[in-house]
């Protein structure tokens, strides 16, 4: 959830479909009641919205994952501009987004993509020049790095999450190790 005031509250998540795939869900509270927000640009997509951040009454951002019966997971970012919600292309592509934060110049998102059982961190920041990749450092661990949250403090971005260690000599899973990266 995010809010710009007591009569401007947003909530995001998923709603199930008869086919068994989730669709993004956006709700708005106007100080009196909650309503489901229609968004043609999002309503036709499968996936979920997991994070929201309000920059102002006419600028709300949502992030999550788009996936469905005929596509691999792709990052999903949407923006509300006071008139409606639209899908935003960040240039990240494949993966899941778990973190979203407001920055001095816009917003930033982080998450992960995976292949061959190894997780790789992904992220992008909206600047006046458009979306720019965050170029997050990879993990030296066997299974990779999974960012879960991001915040900007004093003009610097901090990303936190876990590094997956893999398995021990007996094949037992090793517990993940937390990481933090600031730039």
């Amino acid at each position: 959830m995010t809010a710009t005031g007591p009569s401007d509250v947003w909530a995001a998540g998923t709603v199930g479909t008869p086919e068994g795939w989730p669709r993004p869900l956006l709700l708005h509270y106007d100080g009196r009641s909650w309503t489901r927000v229609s968004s043609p640009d999002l309503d036709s997509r499968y996936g979920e919205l997991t994070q929201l951040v309000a920059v102002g009454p006419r600028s709300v951002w949502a992030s999550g994952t788009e996936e469905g019966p005929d596509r691999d997971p792709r990052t999903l970012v949407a923006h509300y501009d006071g008139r409606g919600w639209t899908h935003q292309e960040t240039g990240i592509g494949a993966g899941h987004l778990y973190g979203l934060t407001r920055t001095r110049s816009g917003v930033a998102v982080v998450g992960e993509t995976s292949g061959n059982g190894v997780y790789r961190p992904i992220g992008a920041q909206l600047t006046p020049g458009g979306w720019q990749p965050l170029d997050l450092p990879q993990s030296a661990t066997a299974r990779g790095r999974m960012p879960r949250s991001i915040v900007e403090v004093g003009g610097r971005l901090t990303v936190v999450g876990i590094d997956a260690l893999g398995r021990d000599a007996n094949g037992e899973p090793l517990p993940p190790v937390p990481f933090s990266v600031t730039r």
Side-chain angles (χ1 to χ4, degrees), residues 36-164:
R36 184 171 177 182
V37 177
S38 177
S39 170
D41 203 16
L42 295 176
D43 291 345
S44 63
R45 298 173 187 273
Y46 292 107
E48 64 181 347
L49 295 170
T50 57
Q51 299 289 320
L52 281 170
V53 65
V55 176
R58 291 187 177 91
S59 185
V60 180
W61 291 86
S63 67
T65 304
E66 182 178 359
E67 58 188 326
D70 51 356
R71 84 169 332 163
D72 291 331
R74 296 186 50 80
T75 60
L76 179 59
V77 175
H79 181 244
Y80 175 74
D81 64 2
R83 294 182 307 276
W85 285 89
T86 55
H87 174 261
Q88 301 289 303
E89 186 54 56
T90 63
I92 298 174
H96 299 269
L97 292 176
Y98 298 108
L100 169 67
T101 193
R102 179 181 178 174
T103 66
R104 288 180 182 180
S105 63
V107 294
V109 294
V110 294
E112 73 199 30
T113 187
S114 64
N116 298 323
V118 177
Y119 298 96
R120 293 183 322 278
I122 55 175
Q125 181 176 7
L126 181 60
T127 68
W131 286 95
Q132 304 296 320
L134 286 180
D135 195 29
L136 299 168
Q138 302 293 322
S139 171
T141 63
R143 298 281 316 277
R145 178 160 283 172
M146 296 179 273
R148 289 295 182 257
S149 190
I150 184 171
V151 65
E152 182 183 70
V153 177
R156 299 184 69 185
L157 291 172
T158 298
V159 177
V160 296
I162 58 173
D163 284 341

